[in-house]
Short mmCIF file of all heavy atoms in Angstrom, two decimals:
data_model
loop_
_atom_site.label_atom_id
_atom_site.label_comp_id
_atom_site.label_asym_id
_atom_site.label_seq_id
_atom_site.Cartn_x
_atom_site.Cartn_y
_atom_site.Cartn_z
N ALA A 15 -23.76 13.54 -12.84
CA ALA A 15 -24.75 13.07 -12.11
C ALA A 15 -24.16 11.94 -11.14
O ALA A 15 -24.56 11.95 -9.91
CB ALA A 15 -26.03 12.58 -12.87
N LEU A 16 -23.52 11.04 -11.61
CA LEU A 16 -22.94 9.82 -10.98
C LEU A 16 -22.05 10.20 -9.88
O LEU A 16 -22.14 9.89 -8.70
CB LEU A 16 -22.19 8.85 -11.98
CG LEU A 16 -21.69 7.60 -11.31
CD1 LEU A 16 -22.82 6.72 -10.88
CD2 LEU A 16 -20.93 6.88 -12.34
N PHE A 17 -20.99 11.19 -10.20
CA PHE A 17 -19.98 11.56 -9.16
C PHE A 17 -20.54 12.50 -8.15
O PHE A 17 -20.13 12.57 -7.13
CB PHE A 17 -18.80 12.06 -9.94
CG PHE A 17 -17.85 10.99 -10.46
CD1 PHE A 17 -17.93 10.55 -11.81
CD2 PHE A 17 -16.91 10.41 -9.54
CE1 PHE A 17 -17.19 9.56 -12.31
CE2 PHE A 17 -16.19 9.30 -10.13
CZ PHE A 17 -16.26 8.88 -11.33
N LEU A 18 -21.67 13.31 -8.60
CA LEU A 18 -22.24 14.13 -7.61
C LEU A 18 -22.96 13.27 -6.58
O LEU A 18 -22.88 13.57 -5.37
CB LEU A 18 -23.28 15.02 -8.36
CG LEU A 18 -24.03 16.09 -7.48
CD1 LEU A 18 -23.12 16.98 -6.64
CD2 LEU A 18 -25.06 16.80 -8.21
N LEU A 19 -23.54 12.22 -7.13
CA LEU A 19 -24.30 11.32 -6.03
C LEU A 19 -23.22 10.63 -5.17
O LEU A 19 -23.35 10.61 -3.95
CB LEU A 19 -24.99 10.09 -6.92
CG LEU A 19 -25.67 9.08 -6.07
CD1 LEU A 19 -26.79 9.67 -5.20
CD2 LEU A 19 -26.20 8.01 -6.98
N PHE A 20 -22.04 10.21 -5.78
CA PHE A 20 -20.95 9.69 -4.91
C PHE A 20 -20.56 10.63 -3.90
O PHE A 20 -20.32 10.21 -2.65
CB PHE A 20 -19.77 9.28 -5.75
CG PHE A 20 -19.99 8.14 -6.63
CD1 PHE A 20 -19.07 7.72 -7.62
CD2 PHE A 20 -21.04 7.19 -6.46
CE1 PHE A 20 -19.26 6.53 -8.41
CE2 PHE A 20 -21.24 6.05 -7.29
CZ PHE A 20 -20.31 5.83 -8.26
N TYR A 21 -20.31 11.76 -4.25
CA TYR A 21 -19.91 12.91 -3.32
C TYR A 21 -20.88 13.13 -2.19
O TYR A 21 -20.49 13.44 -1.04
CB TYR A 21 -19.47 14.05 -4.07
CG TYR A 21 -18.81 15.19 -3.19
CD1 TYR A 21 -17.59 14.92 -2.56
CD2 TYR A 21 -19.38 16.40 -3.09
CE1 TYR A 21 -16.88 15.86 -1.76
CE2 TYR A 21 -18.71 17.51 -2.24
CZ TYR A 21 -17.53 17.07 -1.62
OH TYR A 21 -16.87 18.02 -0.82
N ILE A 22 -22.16 13.17 -2.58
CA ILE A 22 -23.22 13.38 -1.53
C ILE A 22 -23.19 12.22 -0.50
O ILE A 22 -23.31 12.47 0.64
CB ILE A 22 -24.57 13.53 -2.13
CG1 ILE A 22 -24.71 14.91 -2.93
CG2 ILE A 22 -25.76 13.49 -1.11
CD1 ILE A 22 -25.83 15.02 -3.92
N VAL A 23 -23.03 11.06 -1.06
CA VAL A 23 -23.03 9.73 -0.19
C VAL A 23 -21.75 9.90 0.71
O VAL A 23 -21.79 9.52 1.93
CB VAL A 23 -22.93 8.46 -1.03
CG1 VAL A 23 -22.66 7.23 -0.05
CG2 VAL A 23 -24.28 8.24 -1.75
N ILE A 24 -20.56 10.36 0.19
CA ILE A 24 -19.39 10.49 1.02
C ILE A 24 -19.69 11.51 2.11
O ILE A 24 -19.34 11.19 3.40
CB ILE A 24 -18.24 10.96 0.17
CG1 ILE A 24 -17.76 9.89 -0.79
CG2 ILE A 24 -17.08 11.35 0.98
CD1 ILE A 24 -16.77 10.26 -1.92
N MET A 25 -20.20 12.65 1.86
CA MET A 25 -20.36 13.70 2.85
C MET A 25 -21.36 13.30 3.92
O MET A 25 -21.18 13.33 5.08
CB MET A 25 -20.81 14.96 2.18
CG MET A 25 -19.90 15.64 1.12
SD MET A 25 -18.24 16.00 1.95
CE MET A 25 -18.64 17.42 2.91
N VAL A 26 -22.52 12.81 3.43
CA VAL A 26 -23.60 12.34 4.27
C VAL A 26 -23.21 11.25 5.22
O VAL A 26 -23.42 11.27 6.41
CB VAL A 26 -24.90 12.10 3.62
CG1 VAL A 26 -25.99 11.48 4.60
CG2 VAL A 26 -25.48 13.32 2.92
N GLY A 27 -22.59 10.16 4.63
CA GLY A 27 -22.26 8.95 5.28
C GLY A 27 -21.18 9.19 6.36
O GLY A 27 -21.25 8.85 7.55
N ASN A 28 -20.09 10.03 6.03
CA ASN A 28 -18.98 10.19 6.95
C ASN A 28 -19.52 11.28 8.00
O ASN A 28 -19.01 11.12 9.20
CB ASN A 28 -17.87 10.86 6.20
CG ASN A 28 -17.13 9.64 5.58
OD1 ASN A 28 -16.50 8.70 6.17
ND2 ASN A 28 -17.12 9.67 4.16
N LEU A 29 -20.30 12.24 7.73
CA LEU A 29 -20.80 13.12 8.69
C LEU A 29 -21.72 12.46 9.74
O LEU A 29 -21.67 12.74 10.96
CB LEU A 29 -21.66 14.31 8.00
CG LEU A 29 -20.73 15.45 7.38
CD1 LEU A 29 -21.63 16.32 6.46
CD2 LEU A 29 -19.91 16.18 8.41
N LEU A 30 -22.49 11.49 9.20
CA LEU A 30 -23.30 10.65 10.13
C LEU A 30 -22.48 9.97 11.07
O LEU A 30 -22.79 9.85 12.28
CB LEU A 30 -24.22 9.77 9.29
CG LEU A 30 -25.38 8.99 9.93
CD1 LEU A 30 -26.35 10.12 10.48
CD2 LEU A 30 -26.17 8.04 8.98
N ILE A 31 -21.37 9.31 10.66
CA ILE A 31 -20.53 8.55 11.63
C ILE A 31 -19.98 9.51 12.59
O ILE A 31 -19.93 9.17 13.85
CB ILE A 31 -19.39 7.85 10.74
CG1 ILE A 31 -19.97 6.61 10.00
CG2 ILE A 31 -18.34 7.43 11.69
CD1 ILE A 31 -18.98 5.84 9.22
N LEU A 32 -19.40 10.64 12.14
CA LEU A 32 -18.90 11.61 13.06
C LEU A 32 -19.99 12.07 14.15
O LEU A 32 -19.65 12.01 15.33
CB LEU A 32 -18.24 12.81 12.32
CG LEU A 32 -17.06 12.76 11.61
CD1 LEU A 32 -16.89 14.01 10.73
CD2 LEU A 32 -15.89 12.64 12.56
N LEU A 33 -21.20 12.29 13.66
CA LEU A 33 -22.21 12.64 14.61
C LEU A 33 -22.52 11.60 15.61
O LEU A 33 -22.74 11.91 16.83
CB LEU A 33 -23.48 13.12 13.81
CG LEU A 33 -24.69 13.57 14.64
CD1 LEU A 33 -24.48 14.71 15.35
CD2 LEU A 33 -25.82 13.58 13.70
N THR A 34 -22.54 10.34 15.03
CA THR A 34 -22.91 9.21 15.92
C THR A 34 -21.82 8.96 17.04
O THR A 34 -22.15 8.77 18.21
CB THR A 34 -23.15 7.93 15.01
OG1 THR A 34 -24.10 8.20 14.03
CG2 THR A 34 -23.55 6.81 15.83
N VAL A 35 -20.58 9.02 16.51
CA VAL A 35 -19.49 8.72 17.55
C VAL A 35 -19.44 9.80 18.62
O VAL A 35 -19.30 9.48 19.77
CB VAL A 35 -18.14 8.60 16.82
CG1 VAL A 35 -17.00 8.55 17.76
CG2 VAL A 35 -18.22 7.43 15.90
N PHE A 36 -19.52 11.00 18.15
CA PHE A 36 -19.55 12.11 19.21
C PHE A 36 -20.82 12.19 20.05
O PHE A 36 -20.60 12.55 21.20
CB PHE A 36 -19.30 13.50 18.49
CG PHE A 36 -17.97 13.73 17.86
CD1 PHE A 36 -17.77 14.11 16.65
CD2 PHE A 36 -16.84 13.58 18.71
CE1 PHE A 36 -16.44 14.32 15.98
CE2 PHE A 36 -15.49 13.83 18.23
CZ PHE A 36 -15.39 14.12 16.89
N SER A 37 -21.93 11.78 19.57
CA SER A 37 -23.17 11.83 20.38
C SER A 37 -23.30 10.83 21.38
O SER A 37 -24.02 10.80 22.34
CB SER A 37 -24.32 11.91 19.52
OG SER A 37 -24.22 12.97 18.64
N ASP A 38 -22.70 9.46 21.09
CA ASP A 38 -22.97 8.35 21.88
C ASP A 38 -21.74 8.00 22.77
O ASP A 38 -20.66 7.75 22.30
CB ASP A 38 -23.32 7.14 21.02
CG ASP A 38 -23.94 6.06 21.89
OD1 ASP A 38 -23.52 5.72 22.97
OD2 ASP A 38 -24.87 5.38 21.37
N PRO A 39 -21.80 8.20 24.07
CA PRO A 39 -20.76 8.00 25.06
C PRO A 39 -20.13 6.46 24.91
O PRO A 39 -19.08 6.24 25.22
CB PRO A 39 -21.29 8.17 26.42
CG PRO A 39 -22.46 9.14 26.23
CD PRO A 39 -23.01 8.72 24.87
N ARG A 40 -21.11 5.50 24.51
CA ARG A 40 -20.63 4.14 24.41
C ARG A 40 -19.65 3.91 23.24
O ARG A 40 -18.96 2.97 23.27
CB ARG A 40 -21.91 3.26 24.23
CG ARG A 40 -22.89 3.33 25.39
CD ARG A 40 -24.03 2.37 25.10
NE ARG A 40 -25.25 2.75 25.86
CZ ARG A 40 -26.35 2.08 25.86
NH1 ARG A 40 -26.43 0.92 25.24
NH2 ARG A 40 -27.32 2.43 26.71
N LEU A 41 -19.59 4.85 22.43
CA LEU A 41 -18.63 4.76 21.30
C LEU A 41 -17.41 5.55 21.59
O LEU A 41 -16.55 5.74 20.61
CB LEU A 41 -19.26 5.22 19.96
CG LEU A 41 -20.47 4.47 19.52
CD1 LEU A 41 -21.00 4.99 18.19
CD2 LEU A 41 -20.23 2.93 19.41
N HIS A 42 -17.16 6.04 22.72
CA HIS A 42 -15.95 6.86 23.13
C HIS A 42 -14.86 5.79 23.40
O HIS A 42 -14.42 5.76 24.58
CB HIS A 42 -16.09 7.79 24.24
CG HIS A 42 -17.13 8.93 23.75
ND1 HIS A 42 -17.60 9.92 24.65
CD2 HIS A 42 -17.78 9.17 22.56
CE1 HIS A 42 -18.43 10.70 23.92
NE2 HIS A 42 -18.44 10.28 22.66
N THR A 43 -14.44 5.03 22.49
CA THR A 43 -13.39 4.07 22.62
C THR A 43 -12.39 4.30 21.61
O THR A 43 -12.54 4.90 20.63
CB THR A 43 -13.95 2.56 22.44
OG1 THR A 43 -14.52 2.49 21.17
CG2 THR A 43 -15.12 2.35 23.45
N PRO A 44 -11.11 3.62 21.76
CA PRO A 44 -10.12 3.83 20.69
C PRO A 44 -10.57 3.56 19.37
O PRO A 44 -10.20 4.30 18.35
CB PRO A 44 -9.04 2.89 21.17
CG PRO A 44 -9.10 2.64 22.71
CD PRO A 44 -10.65 2.93 22.89
N MET A 45 -11.22 2.38 19.05
CA MET A 45 -11.71 1.98 17.81
C MET A 45 -12.56 3.09 17.10
O MET A 45 -12.21 3.38 15.92
CB MET A 45 -12.46 0.71 17.83
CG MET A 45 -12.90 0.26 16.55
SD MET A 45 -13.87 -1.33 16.66
CE MET A 45 -14.61 -1.42 14.99
N TYR A 46 -13.42 3.63 17.87
CA TYR A 46 -14.30 4.64 17.23
C TYR A 46 -13.77 6.11 17.17
O TYR A 46 -14.15 6.90 16.32
CB TYR A 46 -15.70 4.60 17.99
CG TYR A 46 -16.39 3.29 17.76
CD1 TYR A 46 -16.50 2.32 18.80
CD2 TYR A 46 -16.89 2.96 16.50
CE1 TYR A 46 -17.08 1.13 18.55
CE2 TYR A 46 -17.43 1.68 16.26
CZ TYR A 46 -17.56 0.88 17.27
OH TYR A 46 -18.02 -0.44 17.02
N PHE A 47 -12.75 6.32 18.04
CA PHE A 47 -11.94 7.52 17.99
C PHE A 47 -11.17 7.53 16.68
O PHE A 47 -11.30 8.53 15.94
CB PHE A 47 -10.92 7.53 19.21
CG PHE A 47 -9.86 8.70 18.98
CD1 PHE A 47 -10.32 10.01 19.22
CD2 PHE A 47 -8.72 8.43 18.63
CE1 PHE A 47 -9.34 11.07 19.01
CE2 PHE A 47 -7.65 9.38 18.63
CZ PHE A 47 -8.05 10.79 18.76
N PHE A 48 -10.53 6.46 16.24
CA PHE A 48 -9.91 6.43 15.07
C PHE A 48 -10.77 6.30 13.75
O PHE A 48 -10.50 6.78 12.78
CB PHE A 48 -8.83 5.14 14.89
CG PHE A 48 -7.72 5.48 15.88
CD1 PHE A 48 -7.50 4.61 17.01
CD2 PHE A 48 -6.79 6.58 15.76
CE1 PHE A 48 -6.52 4.79 17.88
CE2 PHE A 48 -5.78 6.73 16.58
CZ PHE A 48 -5.66 5.89 17.76
N LEU A 49 -11.97 5.73 14.04
CA LEU A 49 -13.04 5.67 13.01
C LEU A 49 -13.48 7.04 12.67
O LEU A 49 -13.66 7.52 11.48
CB LEU A 49 -14.15 4.79 13.34
CG LEU A 49 -15.28 4.80 12.38
CD1 LEU A 49 -14.90 4.28 10.96
CD2 LEU A 49 -16.50 3.83 12.87
N SER A 50 -13.71 7.98 13.75
CA SER A 50 -14.08 9.35 13.46
C SER A 50 -12.92 10.08 12.79
O SER A 50 -13.22 11.00 12.00
CB SER A 50 -14.52 9.95 14.80
OG SER A 50 -13.37 10.05 15.68
N ASN A 51 -11.71 9.83 13.14
CA ASN A 51 -10.56 10.35 12.41
C ASN A 51 -10.63 10.07 10.90
O ASN A 51 -10.39 10.80 9.99
CB ASN A 51 -9.24 9.99 13.00
CG ASN A 51 -8.64 10.82 14.04
OD1 ASN A 51 -7.90 11.65 13.89
ND2 ASN A 51 -9.24 10.60 15.26
N LEU A 52 -10.90 8.71 10.65
CA LEU A 52 -10.97 8.27 9.22
C LEU A 52 -12.17 8.97 8.52
O LEU A 52 -11.99 9.33 7.39
CB LEU A 52 -11.16 6.72 9.25
CG LEU A 52 -11.21 6.15 7.92
CD1 LEU A 52 -9.81 6.15 7.22
CD2 LEU A 52 -11.57 4.64 8.03
N SER A 53 -13.32 9.09 9.20
CA SER A 53 -14.34 9.78 8.45
C SER A 53 -14.05 11.31 8.16
O SER A 53 -14.40 11.68 7.08
CB SER A 53 -15.62 9.67 9.43
OG SER A 53 -16.06 8.36 9.46
N PHE A 54 -13.41 11.94 9.08
CA PHE A 54 -13.01 13.34 8.88
C PHE A 54 -12.09 13.37 7.68
O PHE A 54 -12.22 14.23 6.89
CB PHE A 54 -12.34 13.92 10.10
CG PHE A 54 -11.91 15.28 9.96
CD1 PHE A 54 -12.67 16.44 9.82
CD2 PHE A 54 -10.52 15.57 9.68
CE1 PHE A 54 -12.22 17.71 9.48
CE2 PHE A 54 -10.01 16.85 9.50
CZ PHE A 54 -10.85 17.88 9.38
N VAL A 55 -11.09 12.41 7.69
CA VAL A 55 -10.01 12.37 6.63
C VAL A 55 -10.78 12.15 5.25
O VAL A 55 -10.38 12.86 4.32
CB VAL A 55 -8.98 11.31 6.88
CG1 VAL A 55 -8.23 11.12 5.62
CG2 VAL A 55 -8.10 11.61 8.02
N ASP A 56 -11.71 11.23 5.20
CA ASP A 56 -12.40 10.97 3.92
C ASP A 56 -13.16 12.15 3.45
O ASP A 56 -13.23 12.36 2.25
CB ASP A 56 -13.37 9.75 4.27
CG ASP A 56 -12.70 8.46 4.13
OD1 ASP A 56 -11.52 8.33 3.56
OD2 ASP A 56 -13.19 7.49 4.76
N ILE A 57 -13.83 13.00 4.26
CA ILE A 57 -14.59 14.18 3.83
C ILE A 57 -13.52 15.08 3.27
O ILE A 57 -13.75 15.58 2.08
CB ILE A 57 -15.26 14.75 5.10
CG1 ILE A 57 -16.49 13.92 5.56
CG2 ILE A 57 -15.73 16.21 4.71
CD1 ILE A 57 -16.99 14.39 6.85
N ALA A 58 -12.43 15.47 3.88
CA ALA A 58 -11.43 16.39 3.41
C ALA A 58 -10.66 15.77 2.19
O ALA A 58 -10.48 16.52 1.24
CB ALA A 58 -10.46 16.62 4.48
N TYR A 59 -10.39 14.52 2.22
CA TYR A 59 -9.57 13.91 1.18
C TYR A 59 -10.44 13.92 -0.17
O TYR A 59 -9.79 14.28 -1.24
CB TYR A 59 -9.25 12.45 1.61
CG TYR A 59 -8.56 11.53 0.58
CD1 TYR A 59 -7.33 12.02 0.08
CD2 TYR A 59 -9.03 10.40 0.07
CE1 TYR A 59 -6.61 11.24 -0.83
CE2 TYR A 59 -8.39 9.58 -0.76
CZ TYR A 59 -7.15 9.98 -1.26
OH TYR A 59 -6.38 9.28 -2.12
N SER A 60 -11.67 13.47 -0.20
CA SER A 60 -12.50 13.56 -1.37
C SER A 60 -12.77 15.00 -1.78
O SER A 60 -12.84 15.27 -3.06
CB SER A 60 -13.83 12.78 -1.11
OG SER A 60 -14.55 13.37 -0.02
N SER A 61 -12.82 15.90 -0.74
CA SER A 61 -13.04 17.27 -1.16
C SER A 61 -11.87 17.88 -1.94
O SER A 61 -12.06 19.06 -2.52
CB SER A 61 -13.45 18.05 0.11
OG SER A 61 -14.72 17.62 0.63
N ALA A 62 -10.85 17.44 -1.80
CA ALA A 62 -9.53 17.94 -2.51
C ALA A 62 -9.66 17.78 -4.02
O ALA A 62 -9.10 18.50 -4.82
CB ALA A 62 -8.25 17.21 -1.96
N THR A 63 -10.46 16.67 -4.36
CA THR A 63 -10.50 16.46 -5.88
C THR A 63 -11.97 16.44 -6.47
O THR A 63 -12.26 16.94 -7.54
CB THR A 63 -9.85 15.10 -6.23
OG1 THR A 63 -10.53 14.09 -5.45
CG2 THR A 63 -8.39 15.07 -5.91
N ALA A 64 -12.93 15.90 -5.66
CA ALA A 64 -14.19 15.67 -6.28
C ALA A 64 -15.07 16.89 -6.69
O ALA A 64 -15.50 16.93 -7.77
CB ALA A 64 -14.99 14.93 -5.23
N PRO A 65 -14.98 17.99 -5.91
CA PRO A 65 -15.78 19.22 -6.33
C PRO A 65 -15.19 19.69 -7.65
O PRO A 65 -16.09 20.15 -8.57
CB PRO A 65 -15.69 20.11 -5.19
CG PRO A 65 -15.32 19.37 -4.05
CD PRO A 65 -14.53 18.19 -4.63
N LYS A 66 -13.97 19.83 -7.85
CA LYS A 66 -13.34 20.39 -9.08
C LYS A 66 -13.61 19.45 -10.26
O LYS A 66 -14.02 19.88 -11.36
CB LYS A 66 -11.87 20.45 -8.94
CG LYS A 66 -11.10 21.16 -10.11
CD LYS A 66 -11.38 22.60 -10.18
CE LYS A 66 -10.61 23.28 -11.30
NZ LYS A 66 -11.26 23.05 -12.72
#
Side-chain angles (χ1 to χ4, degrees):
L16 183 65
F17 281 94
L18 180 61
L19 176 64
F20 286 169
Y21 188 58
I22 291 168
V23 171
I24 289 167
M25 296 300 288
V26 172
N28 284 294
L29 283 171
L30 193 59
I31 285 179
L32 282 171
L33 177 66
T34 304
V35 172
F36 285 126
S37 301
D38 195 322
R40 298 181 200 187
L41 298 184
H42 293 175
T43 63
M45 177 180 173
Y46 295 107
F47 169 73
F48 291 115
L49 178 58
S50 61
N51 270 263
L52 183 66
S53 293
F54 175 76
V55 168
D56 280 335
I57 289 169
Y59 178 56
S60 57
S61 296
T63 58
K66 184 74 176 78

